[in-house]
Amino acid sequence: MTAGIRTIIYPVRDLARARDLFSRLTGKAPYVDEGYYVAFAVGDQDIGLDPNGHARGMTGPLGYWHVDDIGRELEALRAAGGEVVQEVKDVGGGKLIASVR
């Protein structure tokens, strides 16, 4: 089962400036505030700021689907013709991610 896109990560070049902007936009302080990543919780939506995103080829915001069984969903995407560009990886806090196109 999918919960839909619940995490959006923005590549940013100036993390401090982006943190201030998103703090004002969301009216919240970040719940993760590190030099490598800043994250805000807005309702059931997570908004992440990645200062290294451009270096990894991110050209704009990237949405992440939340699913109950990542292995099963990856297999379904492969069967539908999707190409896995990043295998499952643990990003901490029990969260696993993978990238498919």
Side-chain angles (χ1 to χ4, degrees), residues 10-49:
Y10 292 86
V12 299
R13 297 198 190 280
D14 185 333
L15 187 59
R17 186 170 171 217
R19 178 190 315 106
D20 292 346
L21 173 67
F22 276 85
S23 289
R24 288 185 183 150
L25 286 172
T26 64
K28 299 184 177 287
Y31 72 89
V32 174
D33 192 355
E34 301 293 338
Y36 60 88
Y37 187 72
V38 172
F40 297 86
V42 181
D44 63 354
Q45 183 81 50
D46 279 2
I47 299 170
L49 308 176

Side-chain angles (χ1 to χ4, degrees), residues 4 16 22 29-31 36 38 46 54 60 67-68 79 86 88 91 97 99:
F22 276 85
Y31 72 89
Y36 60 88
V38 172
D46 279 2
H54 290 98
V67 298
D68 291 334
Q86 177 185 312
V88 175
V91 293
I97 65 168
S99 297

Side-chain angles (χ1 to χ4, degrees), residues 45-89:
Q45 183 81 50
D46 279 2
I47 299 170
L49 308 176
D50 184 350
N52 300 305
H54 290 98
R56 288 194 306 271
M58 289 177 71
T59 58
L62 181 60
Y64 286 87
W65 288 83
H66 289 222
V67 298
D68 291 334
D69 185 334
I70 195 168
R72 183 181 68 226
E73 297 298 331
L74 274 178
E75 287 309 311
L77 289 168
R78 281 184 175 115
E83 175 190 352
V84 175
V85 294
Q86 177 185 312
E87 291 293 338
V88 175
K89 96 176 180 182

